[in-house]
Amino acid sequence: MIVGGGFGGVRAAHALSHLPVDITLIDRTNHHLFQPLLYQVGTGVLSPGQIAPALRSIFRNRPNVRVQLAQVDGFDLDRRVVHGVADHGIEVPYDTLIVAAGATHSYFGRDEWEAHTLAMKSLDDANRLRSRVLGAFEMAEQADTPAEREAWLTFAIVGAGPTGVELAGQVGILAHRLLPAEFRSIDTTSARVLLLDAAPTVLGPFARPLQQRAREDLHELGVEVQTSAPVTTIDPEGIEIADDTGSHHRITAKTVIWAAGVKASPLAERLAEAAGAETDRAGRLLVSPNCTVPGHPEIFAIGDMVSLPGVPGVAQPAIQEGRYVAEVIGARLAGAPTPRPFRYRDKGAMAIVGRTHAVAQIGKIRLTGFPAFLVWGVVHLAYLVGWGNRFEAVARWLWTMIARNRRERLISVVSLVPEETARDQLARTGIRRRRERAGVGPERRERGTVRP
């Protein structure tokens, strides 16, 4: 049984599918999401289907892999069953369990900020982000006052890691290079794109020269980078940050994007409670060096939901852990010696800034500009599932670079205004217009002489 169709779960299922075992892969969505390119869906570069192939499609030629759609909500380790919910409660038995439930957003104890921000963890998040970013320009076009227009044209992105940097660059390209000729009442180049972080630099894990180059590239795209600027308040009207002197500064912004932190999936805590194991401050499960849950050799936990010394919470460790646990299980089935403890092999880090600029650090190699962009593209294509998706992604990237246009820009007013609010506004507008046609002024309504 594998819980989670992310990088770790899919890699484990692939590796195990060659063994004489029956595999059940259970996930709350029916697709495998390639999260490193999620921001490109959120900014209109790629379509959802290009980075999220259906799980059943991935394993259509693996007859011993069964895909099940359900929300896992608990574990009974004594009975060896996983509890879940689909259209009704279900129990799925297992002999060996692999939990790869991933991570979710972390607001560092300020969970109330979630209601006022946009985040990037799922396709729904990306679609919502695209609607809000593109819709902000639409709302600015019809704003009644300069202050309202400025609020719609201010985009605050919290978190200057790879996701924040890549998002800021793409929003900057939209505002300053792609949209200026398409609007009549606003100058989209006046939009403010702010990248904020409490840390002193962007791209903290990268070498200092790469940090500086990324900052320069962002500046060329019109992005304002403010580091050493912790967020103190987020509300429906904007954001407040502090500076080195302790002073607080208010930024009025209709669009605030959260890319600052993650924490383990709630399933990590539930599995820890069931197994009597421990979690760290980020809610990640503390596992043994061979990725098993302490005291339960039949249960493995991998990916962003676990804590192993020296292993970062990115895609590569999850992929390597998925392959590793499949190797351990294969050795057990064959009666072979247990493989040595899991060892993470760091394959480097990279981030794209704009259309053809990137930074990459692979061992002692440091790349910037177009060479880094080519390496970034090759690496991401290599891990993107399906040759069709790879060809389509290349075609979209080339189209974006050459034509200076994006096809994935379809939104509606419903995505900006809740349907109930829109209906109420339409109803009020209709009543007002009927009254105006009847010659009924507000002064008569106030005296109660005419019914609405």
Side-chain angles (χ1 to χ4, degrees):
M1 159 77 67
I2 301 174
V3 177
F7 286 107
V10 166
R11 293 291 171 169
H14 260 299
L16 289 170
S17 66
H18 300 287
L19 301 177
V21 295
D22 292 323
I23 304 163
T24 298
L25 175 62
I26 186 169
D27 198 291
R28 61 182 177 180
T29 67
N30 74 335
H31 55 267
H32 165 63
L33 178 62
F34 191 81
Q35 281 195 345
L37 292 179
L38 189 59
Y39 77 96
Q40 295 205 0
V41 174
T43 52
V45 179
L46 298 176
S47 66
Q50 290 170 323
I51 68 165
L55 289 170
R56 293 186 183 277
S57 175
I58 294 174
F59 295 105
R60 64 182 180 274
N61 296 323
R62 310 286 182 177
N64 60 335
V65 179
R66 175 174 178 258
V67 176
Q68 187 165 354
L69 183 68
Q71 171 75 55
V72 172
D73 60 3
F75 308 90
D76 187 334
L77 306 190
D78 294 330
R79 296 173 54 218
R80 293 197 178 188
V81 297
V82 171
H83 297 288
V85 178
D87 65 332
H88 59 276
I90 62 172
E91 288 187 346
V92 185
Y94 66 85
D95 296 313
T96 299
L97 174 64
I98 302 173
V99 185
T104 186
H105 319 296
S106 173
Y107 295 89
F108 308 112
R110 300 296 299 272
D111 291 345
E112 68 274 13
W113 290 353
E114 183 176 7
H116 312 305
T117 61
L118 300 163
M120 289 286 289
K121 280 296 176 185
S122 67
L123 281 182
D124 289 339
D125 291 338
N127 290 330
R128 192 177 302 112
L129 174 66
R130 184 183 64 221
S131 296
R132 287 286 298 275
V133 169
L134 295 174
F137 293 100
E138 299 289 346
M139 296 300 100
E141 175 87 345
Q142 53 189 287
D144 295 326
T145 66
E148 183 182 0
R149 183 178 303 114
E150 182 179 351
W152 280 114
L153 290 178
T154 301
F155 302 86
I157 300 168
V158 184
T163 299
V165 166
E166 290 168 345
L167 269 170
Q170 291 298 329
V171 176
I173 289 173
L174 277 173
H176 298 101
R177 301 189 180 183
L178 298 183
L179 298 181
E182 299 187 9
F183 288 84
R184 302 295 176 261
S185 300
I186 61 171
D187 176 11
T188 64
T189 62
S190 66
R192 291 185 69 195
V193 183
L194 299 107
L195 181 61
L196 311 169
D197 203 300
T201 64
V202 302
L203 299 177
F206 286 68
R208 185 174 296 275
L210 299 183
Q211 295 172 348
Q212 184 60 34
R213 177 58 184 269
R215 191 164 188 148
E216 293 171 358
D217 289 342
L218 288 168
H219 179 72
E220 290 182 7
L221 294 173
V223 178
E224 302 176 34
V225 179
Q226 297 187 30
T227 51
S228 300
V231 174
T232 57
T233 301
I234 302 178
D235 56 45
E237 301 305 319
I239 190 170
E240 188 175 280
I241 60 175
D243 60 20
D244 293 335
T245 66
S247 300
H248 291 248
H249 304 277
R250 177 76 182 176
I251 300 172
T252 302
K254 292 287 189 180
T255 306
V256 179
I257 303 171
W258 186 262
V262 296
K263 62 182 179 181
S265 163
L267 285 183
E269 183 177 356
R270 293 177 187 175
L271 181 57
E273 291 176 354
E278 299 180 359
T279 58
D280 64 10
R281 295 180 59 184
R284 297 176 300 181
L285 182 66
L286 303 182
V287 296
S288 302
N290 64 350
C291 297
T292 58
V293 176
H296 291 272
E298 79 283 2
I299 302 176
F300 297 85
I302 60 176
D304 293 346
M305 64 173 283
V306 305
S307 176
L308 281 170
V311 180
V314 293
Q316 263 302 318
I319 293 171
Q320 295 178 27
E321 289 164 0
R323 293 170 177 161
Y324 171 80
V325 299
E327 182 182 352
V328 173
I329 294 170
R332 289 180 180 178
L333 292 174
T338 301
R340 64 182 183 179
F342 173 75
R343 182 180 178 184
Y344 170 58
R345 294 173 176 81
D346 188 356
K347 296 190 176 182
M350 54 194 68
I352 187 172
V353 188
R355 294 184 304 160
T356 58
H357 292 80
V359 292
Q361 139 177 328
I362 306 169
K364 295 183 179 180
I365 300 174
R366 308 284 188 267
L367 297 174
T368 62
F370 192 69
F373 171 77
L374 289 178
V375 173
W376 176 92
V378 170
V379 169
H380 282 72
L381 288 175
Y383 287 101
L384 193 62
V385 176
W387 284 105
N389 289 334
R390 292 168 184 163
F391 287 131
E392 290 177 10
V394 170
R396 287 292 179 88
W397 289 341
L398 291 174
W399 174 258
T400 300
M401 287 189 291
I402 297 172
R404 289 178 176 260
N405 198 356
R406 297 186 183 179
R407 298 173 58 185
E408 303 300 327
R409 288 170 47 190
L410 306 182
I411 64 173
S412 70
V413 70
V414 176
S415 63
L416 302 173
V417 181
E419 189 173 357
E420 297 80 3
T421 303
R423 283 200 301 265
D424 292 343
Q425 291 176 346
L426 288 171
R428 288 195 296 271
T429 300
I431 291 171
R432 183 177 68 251
R433 289 176 177 172
R434 288 196 297 272
R435 288 170 173 167
E436 290 172 352
R437 287 196 296 268
V440 179
E443 68 284 349
R444 292 185 62 190
R445 293 199 300 271
E446 290 173 0
R447 291 196 299 268
T449 56
V450 176
R451 285 188 177 183

